[in-house]
Amino acid sequence: MTTSPPSLEDRLAQLESEARRLEPGPDARGRMRDRVVAQTEIFLESLEGGKAYVVTDHKGSGLLDLAIQEEGRPIEALLQSWTRDVETPGLNPASGGHLGYIPGGGLYPSSLADYLAAVTNRYAGVFFASPGAVRMENLLIRWMADLIGYPEEAGGDLSSGGSIANLTAIVTAREAKGITSGRVRQSVIYATDQVHHCVGKAIGIAGLKEAPVRRIPMDDRFRMVPTALARQMDADRDHGLDPFLVVASGGTTDTGAVDPIGDIAEIAHEHGAWFHVDAAYGGFFLLTPEAPEPLRALHQADSVVLDPHKGLFLPYGSGALLVRDRELLYRAHRYDANYMQDTHRSREEPSPADHSPELTRHFRGLRFWLPLQLFGVAPFRACLSEKIWLTRYFYERLRDIPHMELGPDPELSVCLFRHVPPGKDADPVNARLIEAVQTDGRVFMSSTHVNGSHWLRLAALAFRTHKSTIDQALDVLRELVEEEAER
Ligand SMILES: *Cc1c(COP(=O)(O)O)cnc(C)c1O
């Protein structure tokens, strides 16, 4: 006996009933949502007094027991794994005690914005598809352009972070200056040793690896020396090379140094080079009265990178690029395809897809817009000023701990220091000290290599960092320095 194949209608009905499991009803949604929200409340309530770094033996390996399989699992089991395997081990970047690298925190309303963005799945790539979403992103770009003092014709892009924003800037510079492959070897790039490593990475990805890179000398506070830059650019020009790109830092990651941006802008432009400033860390300090003077010259740069997931405390996934002449960003990134033809009907507003390598992307404007609208700008200003003063406070109080060598006066909110007990080799002492700080976990600091030595650094930028956090960091250091003395 042969069974006849199911009819097309039967097959569709069966597939539909399976596929509909992807759409839980209101009760099931409510149950999942309540579980998740309850978990986030436990997390948020545990931040005060919780650790900034947690050492575990398992390092999240429990996830390996949850292979992706044909049938689903209950939310309870998955949240249990989330808490044990992901939320707990390692660095807690939501903690105010995160004082390493460059922290930020992750503002709560951004999580609700991401929720709205994901539930509605608005398409923020082209104006035609979501005019409101694109207007919102353009408004935020304009807000940042106004902050740095860019003219009306400026534009930009909300990126996933500073690295991609720097890459987009360098590609724009390459196209604006017409650096085709035949010209790469004679097109010179200028930066200091303190420029963020993502700039070197971007130069490579942009196909500019063979361009000569000049490391411009710095003063004793790790800032580019403009006269040295001018001399090097003149020398290169005399040798038949083309000064192509100058990259300055609006707050270096290692030391918080701000290059003399106005002076560098003049020299770069006199020599016909593109001037880019990586202000991923320091740019938003422009909101404060304490902003170092050179940051006020950011508008003289051809392009600037800011990182809202640092200086505006947004959750990770929010960088920004600003370009003084939007047309140059557009020319470097606009491509077309037949299937996109409908999207050109409405061109009143620039579309993100024309200003970056991305086409389909997270609607990342909402997580940026919502907290700014809900809170207003004032608490952001206060929080950034607070970080500058906390860092000065930390720097002053470090003097009370025996045998601390201090780095330069902090310009922003990064402080370099190291322990130099007499009769001991300082590098291994500081390597031990930072490991002990991180294992202790009450606060998290990081270390770096400067001028061939091991230094410790504190970076205050998380919005949950306040005076009690800094006092705790000082207590931890004092205790561990005493332990070191007893070794
Ligand atoms: C953090 C940082 C970057 C890299 O940005 P990501 O958002 O981590 O990709 C670039 N430059 C500076 C100065 C930074 O502090």
Side-chain angles (χ1 to χ4, degrees):
M1 197 182 109
T2 59
T3 52
S4 56
S7 71
L8 185 54
E9 277 77 8
D10 286 350
R11 178 173 294 169
L12 282 172
Q14 203 235 323
L15 289 172
E16 177 172 330
S17 107
E18 280 284 298
R20 277 185 178 276
R21 287 160 61 186
L22 294 175
E23 178 80 286
D27 292 346
R29 285 203 298 271
R31 274 197 304 277
M32 279 197 268
R33 193 168 54 235
D34 290 348
R35 298 273 180 183
V36 169
V37 170
Q39 185 54 46
T40 59
E41 284 303 310
I42 294 169
F43 173 78
L44 290 169
E45 290 303 312
S46 73
L47 282 174
E48 186 95 36
K51 285 192 166 191
Y53 193 90
V54 178
V55 179
T56 60
D57 290 334
H58 62 78
K59 296 181 184 160
S61 59
L63 282 168
L64 306 180
D65 300 333
L66 290 179
I68 307 293
Q69 56 186 17
E70 262 321 278
E71 294 304 317
R73 304 180 199 267
I75 187 87
E76 290 77 9
L78 301 175
L79 282 176
Q80 211 174 11
S81 167
W82 155 259
T83 309
R84 182 194 58 220
D85 297 318
V86 185
E87 197 184 282
T88 304
L91 178 62
N92 181 354
S95 162
H98 178 19
L99 303 165
Y101 315 118
I102 304 287
L107 293 174
Y108 185 70
S110 293
S111 72
L112 303 178
D114 277 355
Y115 180 68
L116 283 172
V119 169
T120 61
N121 202 26
R122 295 313 296 187
Y123 183 81
V126 293
F127 184 67
F128 166 78
S130 189
V134 170
R135 275 188 205 282
M136 184 183 282
E137 297 209 349
N138 288 340
L139 180 149
L140 290 161
I141 289 164
R142 191 59 243 168
W143 179 73
M144 289 184 284
D146 286 339
L147 176 67
I148 70 168
Y150 261 173
E152 208 41 54
E153 61 272 19
D157 181 58
L158 301 187
S159 65
S160 57
S163 301
I164 295 297
N166 274 300
L167 172 63
T168 310
I170 283 166
V171 168
T172 304
R174 185 194 69 199
E175 293 303 293
K177 296 294 177 189
I179 314 296
T180 49
S181 58
R183 287 190 52 199
V184 172
R185 282 169 196 274
Q186 78 212 47
S187 302
V188 190
I189 300 172
Y190 305 83
T192 70
D193 268 337
Q194 286 292 329
V195 78
H196 194 276
H197 74 275
C198 77
V199 170
K201 197 166 160 183
I203 288 168
I205 296 170
L208 300 168
K209 235 178 220 164
E210 291 158 313
V213 176
R214 307 286 187 233
R215 295 297 180 177
I216 305 304
M218 297 174 286
D219 65 14
D220 57 358
R221 294 176 64 173
F222 306 102
R223 299 175 300 199
M224 187 186 288
V225 177
T227 49
L229 172 69
R231 225 175 300 122
Q232 182 67 54
M233 292 182 101
D234 288 337
D236 286 332
R237 219 162 39 185
D238 291 347
H239 285 91
L241 299 172
D242 304 322
F244 151 49
L245 170 67
V246 179
V247 182
S249 304
T252 59
T253 308
D254 252 358
T255 69
V258 180
D259 286 326
I261 291 165
D263 297 343
I264 297 171
E266 235 166 78
I267 296 164
H269 290 144
E270 260 168 33
H271 290 78
W274 183 276
F275 179 40
H276 174 65
V277 182
D278 177 7
Y281 157 53
F284 285 109
F285 283 103
L286 266 180
L287 287 166
T288 71
E290 292 86 4
E293 210 42 45
L295 280 182
R296 307 214 177 270
L298 274 179
H299 61 95
Q300 295 180 48
D302 296 294
S303 50
V304 174
V305 165
L306 303 172
D307 236 354
H309 64 203
K310 291 174 179 165
L312 289 181
F313 327 117
L314 301 195
Y316 292 144
S318 281
L321 167 66
L322 302 171
V323 178
R324 195 172 44 188
D325 180 351
R326 178 166 65 79
E327 187 60 25
L328 298 175
L329 176 62
Y330 179 81
R331 274 192 234 147
H333 290 94
R334 176 157 196 284
Y335 279 79
D336 215 342
N338 293 338
Y339 51 78
M340 294 292 286
Q341 64 187 10
D342 303 339
T343 67
H344 304 313
R345 264 185 260 136
S346 32
R347 294 289 302 277
E348 302 111 274
E349 282 278 323
S351 286
D354 292 334
H355 294 101
S356 90
E358 294 182 284
L359 178 57
T360 304
R361 65 208 262 289
H362 179 54
F363 171 22
R364 42 179 89 98
L366 191 56
R367 64 202 331 258
F368 185 161
W369 184 83
L370 193 66
L372 278 176
Q373 294 284 4
L374 276 173
F375 298 138
V377 181
F380 288 90
R381 285 187 211 286
C383 196
L384 286 163
S385 285
E386 181 194 26
K387 300 304 156 307
I388 287 189
W389 291 104
L390 284 175
T391 311
R392 292 180 188 171
Y393 171 77
F394 177 76
Y395 188 77
E396 284 311 311
R397 290 299 148 96
L398 271 183
R399 297 181 201 279
D400 304 336
I401 301 178
H403 310 300
M404 277 296 181
E405 181 181 343
L406 305 188
D409 266 1
E411 281 186 83
L412 294 170
S413 68
V414 175
C415 177
L416 273 190
F417 59 98
R418 58 187 205 138
H419 184 40
V420 285
K424 282 188 181 173
D425 186 359
D427 276 1
V429 167
N430 286 284
R432 273 199 298 276
L433 194 53
I434 196 63
E435 200 184 327
V437 169
Q438 295 176 355
T439 308
D440 175 272
R442 280 174 287 171
V443 295
F444 182 88
M445 289 181 250
S446 54
S447 71
T448 187
H449 243 73
V450 179
N451 296 338
S453 306
H454 201 114
W455 286 78
L456 310 189
R457 57 188 286 291
L458 171 136
L461 197 58
F463 74 99
R464 293 189 176 101
T465 300
H466 304 296
K467 180 172 171 291
S468 56
T469 330
I470 300 298
D471 285 332
Q472 177 148 69
L474 289 161
D475 287 345
V476 168
L477 283 172
R478 211 172 284 120
E479 284 171 33
L480 294 174
V481 158
E482 271 168 31
E483 274 175 35
E484 173 66 32
E486 285 157 15
R487 270 176 65 94

